Amino acid sequence: MAMMRLRREDPRIVGSFRLHRRLGAGGMGVVYLGSDRRGQRVALKVIRPDLAEDQEFRSRFAREVSAARRIRGGCTARLVAADLEAERPWFATQYVPGPSLHDRVAEEGSLRAADVAAIGAALSEGLVAVHEAGVVHRDLKPSNILLSPKGPRIIDFGIAWATGASTLTHVGTAVGSPGFLAPEQVRGAAVTPATDVFSLGATLAYAAMGDSPFGHGSSEVMLYRVVHEEPQLHGVPDALAPLVRACLAKDPEERPSTLQLSMRLKEIAAREAQGLPSGPRAPGQRDREHERDRDREHERDRDRDRDRDRVEERHSVRPAARPTERYTERTTERHVERQADRATERSTGTQGRAGKNRPSTSRAGAPHSRPGTRPGARSTSTGRRPANPRLLRQRLFVFVVVTLIVALGIAAAQALQG
């Protein structure tokens, strides 16, 4: 920010602050660089003598300073001190080192899309805090935005203007700057937070193009264009153009909110910084895309749930679907085969007392454990169908044959002993 030496008519001390340089002058007064006893630097604005004599202006000034004290947030110049009863009322804000956005563009030309989006996201977030405090800036423009090393800062946030002002001028001071005013300000309607959104859109267009979206001309010509003509955004990057155009809507209800602006501009800044494509999208399109993404995610969740249910159903049905009859037949066949093997062993006399263990073979259809199961495990026959009669007859035949063989063996043994 350019500094000038103090003039002869400039005060040297205001309140508890010592003045060092002139920072600029505007319709309301002169801005000085000052410092307190601790060395804290401030931007101190002293009201013009003719305005200081207007009691209505003093009343409005007191209300605006009170509202400005409530503003919190890192994107604004914090109010440090004020004297509303002084001969020439004054207020001091935190000094912000760095050029204004207007000076930066004038010296270096238009900014990159990523830089414009990053500045716009920070300004939108700062306006959220301003509006939550009940203040509408009403004069947001490139010269009221300072580019500090810690990010952009908003200065002169509406302290000079009354809330709901219904005229373009008041006590000789223009309410806003042509080319950055909202149509409702030109018409004399009450201002709202949407008014600042319009001004922010014009400011971002200026940063991207290096020129006002409503061109140049006298104040009357500029005000007519703001109300009746569409903005010229030919130099605005495609990633930003739809969003800037939405901010410059004639109807305040059609403009996005500052919170929506902050979120969308952060997304654009990140994509542009990474060199990713970012096609033009209107503010409402982002919400619709998020809804579609949520619907797709929900559909994927439902598909996963259905697949999991099918797998669980297959695992739960498989044991019940085993054919009981075939299982019983195979088990009975293995049981008969083992009984035949034992009978053959007994016929050779290797197990003379095996007949006492027959109760284990007298239970028809009692299946033994399947191969590979734990030894000693027994299966229950509850709910199973009876064995095939043909198999029962075979087993009875084998039993009779074995009994006869054993009887003949015992008789032969007794004959030999006699």
Side-chain angles (χ1 to χ4, degrees):
M1 180 180 293
M3 298 186 186
M4 300 168 287
R5 292 183 177 180
L6 296 175
R7 300 179 182 178
R8 181 180 303 176
E9 66 271 17
D10 291 332
R12 268 39 181 187
I13 296 178
V14 175
S16 61
F17 300 95
R18 180 178 296 277
L19 305 185
H20 305 289
R21 293 284 191 275
R22 264 188 176 229
L23 296 178
M28 193 172 68
V30 182
V31 183
Y32 301 95
L33 173 64
S35 62
D36 58 13
R37 298 189 181 98
R38 296 177 298 177
Q40 179 185 9
R41 296 196 296 178
V42 298
L44 191 146
K45 179 174 285 189
V46 180
I47 304 304
R48 282 171 20 198
D50 57 327
L51 294 178
E53 296 175 359
D54 189 302
Q55 293 301 320
E56 183 181 353
F57 175 83
R58 280 180 175 267
S59 298
R60 293 199 325 273
F61 180 73
R63 290 194 299 269
E64 295 292 352
V65 170
S66 176
R69 292 184 189 276
R70 301 195 300 269
I71 296 177
R72 296 291 183 269
C75 201
T76 59
R78 179 174 53 86
L79 184 67
V80 176
D83 188 350
L84 309 179
E85 304 299 331
E87 183 179 354
R88 294 177 60 184
W90 58 270
F91 63 90
T93 61
Q94 182 183 20
Y95 174 71
V96 179
S100 67
L101 179 60
H102 176 274
D103 293 342
R104 172 65 63 83
V105 173
E107 294 175 3
E108 303 180 8
S110 59
L111 305 182
R112 299 181 305 122
D115 296 333
V116 175
I119 292 173
L123 295 176
S124 301
E125 191 171 350
L127 286 176
V128 172
V130 171
H131 296 157
E132 287 179 349
V135 178
V136 179
H137 193 289
R138 295 178 293 280
D139 194 22
L140 192 67
K141 56 185 178 181
S143 59
N144 280 339
I145 297 171
L146 302 181
L147 303 178
S148 74
K150 297 182 178 180
R153 297 291 185 269
I154 302 173
I155 62 173
D156 286 349
F157 42 85
I159 291 180
W161 323 121
T163 302
S166 59
T167 58
L168 288 178
T169 60
H170 192 81
V171 292
T173 303
V175 180
S177 302
F180 297 94
L181 284 172
E184 58 268 24
Q185 288 178 282
V186 179
R187 295 190 182 99
V191 297
T192 65
T195 302
D196 287 342
V197 172
F198 185 96
S199 300
L200 178 58
T203 299
L204 296 180
Y206 174 86
M209 299 189 304
D211 199 359
S212 168
F214 297 100
H216 301 277
S218 63
S219 296
E220 292 78 8
V221 172
M222 298 291 288
L223 296 177
Y224 178 86
R225 291 174 181 169
V226 166
V227 176
H228 300 287
E229 297 183 3
E230 294 299 321
Q232 301 300 318
L233 304 176
H234 300 301
V236 178
D238 293 340
L240 292 168
L243 193 62
V244 171
R245 191 175 299 278
C247 294
L248 297 176
K250 305 300 183 184
D251 186 355
E253 298 295 332
E254 297 179 359
R255 301 168 197 160
S257 67
T258 51
L259 184 59
Q260 291 173 333
L261 275 177
S262 177
M263 295 174 60
R264 180 69 180 117
L265 287 169
K266 286 179 181 177
E267 177 184 342
I268 295 175
R271 296 181 65 88
E272 290 295 322
Q274 297 174 4
L276 299 176
S278 179
R281 294 186 297 175
Q285 184 176 354
R286 177 175 180 269
D287 298 334
R288 291 193 296 271
E289 290 181 356
H290 281 189
E291 291 178 1
R292 287 197 295 268
D293 292 341
R294 287 195 298 268
D295 293 340
R296 295 192 191 100
E297 184 65 26
H298 292 163
E299 186 175 355
R300 286 193 294 268
D301 291 340
R302 289 194 297 269
D303 291 340
R304 286 194 294 267
D305 292 341
R306 284 196 296 268
D307 293 340
R308 185 170 57 250
D309 292 341
R310 289 169 184 166
V311 172
E312 293 177 353
E313 183 178 358
R314 285 197 298 269
H315 285 292
S316 61
V317 169
R318 185 175 301 167
R322 183 181 294 121
T324 305
E325 183 176 355
R326 290 199 301 271
Y327 175 82
T328 304
E329 292 176 357
R330 289 195 301 269
T331 307
T332 305
E333 291 174 358
R334 288 195 296 269
H335 180 69
V336 172
E337 291 175 357
R338 282 195 292 270
Q339 287 180 337
D341 293 340
R342 292 174 183 170
T344 303
E345 292 177 358
R346 293 191 191 95
S347 65
T348 59
T350 57
Q351 189 69 21
R353 57 180 181 273
K356 299 180 181 180
N357 297 328
R358 292 299 167 81
S360 61
T361 63
S362 62
R363 292 159 54 190
H368 288 264
S369 300
R370 297 179 61 184
T373 58
R374 179 171 54 87
R378 300 193 310 177
S379 300
T380 177
S381 60
T382 303
R384 292 177 181 162
R385 297 172 59 184
N388 195 311
R390 181 176 60 83
L391 297 177
L392 293 177
R393 287 195 295 273
Q394 291 177 354
R395 194 184 67 177
L396 181 59
F397 174 76
V398 172
F399 176 75
V400 172
V401 171
V402 171
T403 303
L404 291 175
I405 293 173
V406 172
L408 292 176
I410 293 174
Q414 291 176 352
L416 291 175
Q417 290 178 359

